[in-house]
Amino acid sequence: MGDILDEVTALVRCKECPWYKNCLTPVQVSVEDIAQFRMAMQGTNLPEQAKGELGQIMESMASMSQDMILQSCPVFTQRLKQDPKLAQGIRKIMQNWGKEGEPGERDS
C-alpha cells in the first residue's frame, strides 16, 4: 500500500511542482552569487592572499559547474534512484541523440 501512496504522491507533486516541464536545469551561478561570496569572505579573518585564492577557486568552480552539474526536481531524482532502467533509457537516448528516427532528433 505504501508503494501506491508514494507513486500517487509523486504524481501529484510532479503536476503541482514549480519544476513542471523543466525537470532538469543547468546550475546557474551568477556574477551576483560570486559577489556575495566575496562579500562574505571580507568578514573572515583569513589573510588577503587566501581570500583572493578562494575567490579564484569559487570562480573556477562556478564556471565548471555550469557545464557539469544539473539541478533536478525531487520527484525526478527519486525516480532515477528507484529505477535504474530509467537512467539507462535516458543514457540510451543521449547516446543516440540526433540519429534519424530517435528521440532528440533536431528539426531542420
Side-chain angles (χ1 to χ4, degrees):
M1 184 73 171
D3 291 341
I4 294 170
L5 290 176
D6 290 343
E7 187 59 29
V8 169
T9 301
L11 288 171
V12 169
R13 284 178 65 196
C14 194
K15 298 233 187 261
E16 296 177 356
C17 180
W19 287 81
Y20 186 61
K21 293 188 179 180
N22 197 17
C23 297
L24 292 173
T25 57
V27 170
Q28 300 293 324
V29 180
S30 67
V31 174
E32 291 84 22
D33 295 331
I34 294 172
Q36 286 179 350
F37 175 77
R38 287 185 186 270
M39 287 183 69
M41 292 294 296
Q42 296 301 322
T44 64
N45 292 330
L46 293 172
E48 289 301 316
Q49 182 179 359
K51 289 179 186 179
E53 288 174 4
L54 282 174
Q56 289 175 343
I57 291 170
M58 177 67 175
E59 287 179 21
S60 295
M61 288 176 54
S63 176
M64 287 186 339
S65 71
Q66 293 191 39
D67 292 334
M68 298 176 62
I69 300 175
L70 296 173
Q71 296 173 318
S72 67
C73 86
V75 174
F76 185 73
T77 302
Q78 179 184 6
R79 289 178 179 168
L80 279 174
K81 288 179 180 177
Q82 291 175 343
D83 187 359
K85 289 182 180 179
L86 176 61
Q88 291 169 353
I90 293 169
R91 181 177 181 179
K92 184 178 178 182
I93 289 170
M94 293 303 296
Q95 288 175 339
N96 294 316
W97 192 272
K99 291 182 180 176
E100 194 161 333
E102 291 290 329
E105 182 179 346
R106 297 185 185 259
D107 296 329
S108 298

